[in-house]
Amino acid sequence: MGLKRRTLLAAGVGAATGAGLSAPALAQGAPETRWRLACAYPKSLDNLYGACEAVARIVAEASEGRFQIQVQAPGEPVPAEGVIDAVSAGTVEMGYGPASLGASRDPTFALASAMPFGLNARGQNAWWHQGGAADVFAEVFARNGVACLPCGNTGAQMGGWFRREIKSAADLNGLKIRIDGLGAQVLAKFGAVPQTVAGPDIYGALDSKALDAAEWIGPYDDERLGLQKVAPIYHYPGFWEGGSVLHLWIGAERWKALPKPYQAMLRAAAAQAGADVQAKYDARNPAALRRLVAGGAQLRPFPQEVMETALKHANDVYAKLAEKSPDFRRAYDALRTFRNEEYLWFQVAEYTYDNFMIRARARG
Amino acid sequence: MGLKRRTLLAAGVGAATGAGLSAPALAQGAPETRWRLACAYPKSLDNLYGACEAVARIVAEASEGRFQIQVQAPGEPVPAEGVIDAVSAGTVEMGYGPASLGASRDPTFALASAMPFGLNARGQNAWWHQGGAADVFAEVFARNGVACLPCGNTGAQMGGWFRREIKSAADLNGLKIRIDGLGAQVLAKFGAVPQTVAGPDIYGALDSKALDAAEWIGPYDDERLGLQKVAPIYHYPGFWEGGSVLHLWIGAERWKALPKPYQAMLRAAAAQAGADVQAKYDARNPAALRRLVAGGAQLRPFPQEVMETALKHANDVYAKLAEKSPDFRRAYDALRTFRNEEYLWFQVAEYTYDNFMIRARARG
């Protein structure tokens, strides 16, 4: 494979070489590489920010410190919503965040992360790696100057925090709710008024009644915001994110130029860190949910009528987007076909097993 | 990190250096390492055998060919059931197969793979990586001279193929069924007569009525055996394997001596190949299930009475094993606690979402 020695040291990040990484004692075959990774999540979302740190640690270990990735929190200097743009422009070599961050460039991006009534976490992963989705999206991503590695999933999210219980579709009419993306478009069809509010500002907005409701992630992350104190009705499921994928973004040209061994390390590191994101949520959400309920959160499923109407609205939203964008249509059709097959199978062994286990647990 | 140059070249595998891997053009920092990996699955189980090939490919790419793993099918020369023993004895450096292969050494091994009414795939992964299970098992594994990296999951398996439908617990009495491990112990309590039959011999045994039933894996793998022709009732779920983990096994001393960069590559490769095992099953089982049903398979859930009685029997089996083995008790208690918490959470967002999606699909 004999790689040419080459340095991709980005200007101004020489200091990132860091302590604790002594120079290898022997001459090395792979070139020293220093990349920056702009993370869309602050350190307080420690599972997601931690995924970036894990990727950096794994490739550093595997490369004996020759491939270094410096993780940057939002605003240092790339803003959260600008992560994919910054990677596309080459401002940073890598980014981390959901594909939906690219939806303003092309609505097709969102489908790589999650869509209302899309696949669950396992289904989305199967679709990407073995169901042809990676190919469906590759063209759209390449046109936008980025390459993409899935790296983690939140699992099915919660529907969020509501000051009053949603008992019917009519209760969503006029509701000021913090939500964005395709979920916001679906809720707007109920007459809801989607709002953009940054995480740290949600509590105050609910407290001052500037907001009636806010969706965030799931128990483990939601707990930090303390929303049960100001909007105690905790609805589920977040039908707009049944299994939301996080992605690593890499400048398309930089990815192509990255030595093959480093590509292999990065792919494997994304898988390892990504599996850990899911495992952390699955391991930590239960206790967080218990604490939230003990602290006043009231768990409520969305009424069946709301779910069914939302599905209808979602299908209308997709039909409109597919009319405008052939890429969206292609990705959406592929996802729909895969979803139909996947749930055919999941309902047999997987769902029957979980169903029995959940009922057995409830009986003690 | 400055690793000492060192060669772990095992006797007799020099030929494994393989074509297509030209020597690196530059001097290398990490030592050349050649390992053999004994896979418990034949090449015909291409998803599982393929996981071993994927691990070998990933570490070879990441190490520029310096870390080579040669995959061996069962009998070349390690028999499937002897994989963990061979790794423990140092006959091979690595093995691949479920932890249950070590149950004859210590019943605690089985719990690392799957137990009847254990965790589903995501739960088992969360328990291992974030719920403390890795630590619970580390002592038992070390005492047996092996280290372990989870690498794949089948998801909830099918209950297998039956010549006659099981309509009640009484129908299991006297049933000659191909099943082993903890599942066999549970079915024996119904009066069933568990049999050990190798994959290729199952068809003949069912056809000649030497067997009444046989469990295998799931639609994609089952399809190869053609059992729908001789035992068309396809029961579900395989309550003895609600999410069965496959593992890479490594000699404990070899793992400790493996250069840190190679450890990092192997951990990450196990995660990547493992995620792909699940993705392949999830992507390929649906179509295989359709073909099986078109070919005469009749899908039948196990009756609720059978499931509930089986759960009671399983708990009796675990109580007996826990009396005899403090290690088993420790692992079982930990798993039970984690399972109770995990399904508390899964039943909220995850299960409600899947439940809606499955019903919406059924309605079209």
Side-chain angles (χ1 to χ4, degrees):
Chain A
M1 296 182 184
L3 297 156
K4 280 190 203 143
R5 181 168 291 273
R6 160 179 50 168
T7 299
L8 297 176
L9 187 70
V13 291
T17 309
L21 291 155
S22 56
L26 299 168
Q28 303 299 330
E32 292 209 352
T33 300
R34 303 268 177 282
W35 276 12
R36 291 153 305 175
L37 193 173
C39 179
Y41 302 100
K43 290 179 190 178
S44 58
L45 289 171
D46 63 339
N47 191 3
L48 300 177
Y49 190 86
C52 298
E53 295 181 311
V55 167
R57 181 179 45 72
I58 295 162
V59 301
E61 282 176 8
S63 68
E64 297 182 65
R66 286 168 286 155
F67 185 8
Q68 293 281 332
I69 295 170
Q70 182 199 22
V71 182
Q72 303 177 343
E76 299 178 6
V78 178
E81 65 279 8
V83 158
I84 293 179
D85 292 339
V87 172
S88 174
T91 313
V92 287
E93 293 80 9
M94 291 181 75
Y96 184 68
S100 48
L101 291 175
S104 56
R105 306 173 73 97
D106 185 324
T108 316
F109 269 75
L111 303 187
S113 180
M115 71 173 197
F117 304 102
L119 290 153
N120 65 14
R122 261 175 59 182
Q124 187 79 358
N125 198 53
W127 183 46
W128 183 274
H129 288 291
Q130 295 291 327
D135 295 336
V136 169
F137 289 104
E139 251 180 69
V140 178
F141 292 161
R143 209 181 303 138
N144 284 276
V146 289
C148 173
L149 295 171
C151 180
N153 197 303
T154 61
Q157 298 193 8
M158 291 293 286
W161 301 91
F162 293 72
R163 292 201 288 110
R164 272 172 309 192
E165 182 173 352
I166 301 300
K167 293 183 174 168
S168 71
D171 287 346
L172 288 166
N173 190 18
L175 191 89
K176 291 169 287 180
I177 178 170
R178 185 254 175 223
I179 186 170
D180 60 11
L182 291 169
Q185 295 184 47
V186 171
L187 290 187
K189 286 192 164 275
F190 284 92
V193 189
Q195 312 278 322
T196 303
V197 180
D201 302 328
I202 297 175
Y203 186 103
L206 284 165
D207 196 33
S208 71
K209 302 193 169 54
L211 275 181
D212 300 312
E215 75 95 37
W216 190 235
I217 301 176
Y220 179 70
D221 290 328
D222 288 14
E223 196 183 8
R224 320 285 174 99
L225 300 184
L227 306 183
Q228 71 278 10
K229 292 173 204 146
V230 283
I233 307 295
Y234 200 18
H235 273 299
Y236 64 91
F239 52 78
W240 45 88
E241 291 182 270
S244 211
V245 187
L246 293 312
H247 299 88
L248 286 169
W249 300 94
I250 306 153
E253 292 306 317
R254 291 191 190 270
W255 175 251
K256 273 184 217 153
L258 189 69
K260 291 276 178 287
Y262 292 170
Q263 287 185 358
M265 289 175 197
L266 210 43
R267 269 192 298 262
Q272 184 184 341
D276 229 39
V277 164
Q278 182 76 83
K280 274 186 193 157
Y281 278 128
D282 288 345
R284 296 175 186 181
N285 273 330
L289 184 65
R290 278 189 188 278
R291 288 190 298 267
L292 284 167
V293 169
Q298 296 168 46
L299 281 171
R300 295 283 186 281
F302 282 120
Q304 183 71 8
E305 179 216 0
V306 167
M307 296 289 286
E308 284 176 15
T309 309
L311 174 56
K312 203 157 55 66
H313 288 334
N315 289 338
D316 292 345
V317 168
Y318 303 143
K320 280 263 167 61
L321 287 166
E323 264 175 39
K324 283 188 222 160
S325 159
D327 285 326
F328 186 93
R329 176 182 299 280
R330 184 171 162 233
Y332 173 58
D333 285 349
L335 190 150
R336 211 165 36 162
T337 302
F338 194 86
R339 180 182 64 183
N340 194 49
E341 291 295 295
E342 194 67 317
Y343 273 112
L344 166 78
W345 160 237
F346 277 164
Q347 80 178 294
V348 181
E350 200 71 42
Y351 176 79
T352 310
Y353 186 78
D354 282 344
N355 188 21
F356 179 82
M357 294 305 292
I358 284 167
R359 284 163 200 269
R361 184 195 169 280
R363 288 195 312 269
Chain B
M1 294 183 185
L3 296 157
K4 281 191 202 142
R5 181 168 292 271
R6 161 179 46 170
T7 298
L8 297 177
L9 187 69
V13 293
T17 309
L21 290 153
S22 56
L26 297 168
Q28 302 299 329
E32 291 208 354
T33 300
R34 302 267 177 280
W35 277 13
R36 292 154 304 177
L37 192 172
C39 179
Y41 302 99
K43 289 179 191 178
S44 59
L45 288 171
D46 64 339
N47 190 1
L48 300 178
Y49 190 87
C52 298
E53 295 182 311
V55 166
R57 182 179 45 70
I58 295 161
V59 301
E61 283 176 8
S63 68
E64 296 181 68
R66 286 168 286 156
F67 185 7
Q68 292 281 331
I69 295 170
Q70 182 199 21
V71 182
Q72 303 177 344
E76 298 178 8
V78 179
E81 66 279 10
V83 158
I84 292 178
D85 292 338
V87 173
S88 174
T91 313
V92 288
E93 293 79 10
M94 288 181 76
Y96 184 69
S100 47
L101 290 176
S104 56
R105 307 173 71 96
D106 185 324
T108 316
F109 269 76
L111 303 186
S113 181
M115 70 173 198
F117 304 103
L119 291 153
N120 64 14
R122 260 174 61 181
Q124 188 78 0
N125 197 53
W127 183 47
W128 183 276
H129 288 291
Q130 295 291 327
D135 296 335
V136 169
F137 288 105
E139 252 180 68
V140 177
F141 292 162
R143 210 181 302 139
N144 285 276
V146 289
C148 173
L149 294 172
C151 179
N153 198 304
T154 61
Q157 297 194 8
M158 291 295 284
W161 300 90
F162 293 71
R163 291 200 289 111
R164 273 173 307 193
E165 182 173 352
I166 302 300
K167 294 184 173 168
S168 70
D171 287 347
L172 288 166
N173 190 17
L175 191 89
K176 290 170 288 179
I177 178 168
R178 185 255 177 224
I179 186 170
D180 60 11
L182 291 169
Q185 294 184 46
V186 170
L187 289 188
K189 286 190 165 276
F190 282 93
V193 189
Q195 314 276 322
T196 304
V197 180
D201 303 328
I202 297 175
Y203 186 102
L206 284 165
D207 196 32
S208 71
K209 302 193 172 50
L211 275 181
D212 301 312
E215 75 96 33
W216 192 235
I217 301 176
Y220 179 70
D221 290 326
D222 288 13
E223 196 182 10
R224 321 283 174 100
L225 300 184
L227 306 184
Q228 70 280 7
K229 291 171 207 150
V230 283
I233 307 295
Y234 201 18
H235 272 298
Y236 65 90
F239 50 79
W240 46 87
E241 293 183 89
S244 212
V245 186
L246 293 313
H247 300 89
L248 286 169
W249 301 94
I250 307 154
E253 292 306 317
R254 290 191 191 272
W255 175 251
K256 274 185 215 150
L258 190 69
K260 292 275 178 289
Y262 292 170
Q263 287 186 358
M265 288 174 197
L266 210 43
R267 268 193 299 262
Q272 186 184 340
D276 230 38
V277 165
Q278 181 77 82
K280 274 186 192 156
Y281 278 128
D282 289 344
R284 296 174 186 183
N285 275 329
L289 184 65
R290 277 189 188 280
R291 289 190 298 266
L292 285 167
V293 169
Q298 298 169 46
L299 281 170
R300 295 284 184 283
F302 282 121
Q304 183 72 8
E305 180 216 358
V306 167
M307 296 289 286
E308 283 175 15
T309 310
L311 174 56
K312 205 156 56 65
H313 288 333
N315 289 338
D316 292 344
V317 168
Y318 303 142
K320 280 263 167 60
L321 287 166
E323 263 175 38
K324 284 188 221 159
S325 160
D327 284 325
F328 186 93
R329 176 182 300 281
R330 184 171 163 233
Y332 173 57
D333 285 350
L335 190 150
R336 210 165 37 161
T337 303
F338 194 86
R339 180 183 64 183
N340 194 51
E341 290 295 296
E342 194 66 317
Y343 273 112
L344 166 79
W345 159 236
F346 277 163
Q347 81 178 293
V348 178
E350 200 71 42
Y351 176 78
T352 310
Y353 186 78
D354 281 344
N355 187 23
F356 179 82
M357 294 305 292
I358 284 168
R359 284 162 199 270
R361 184 195 169 280
R363 287 196 312 269

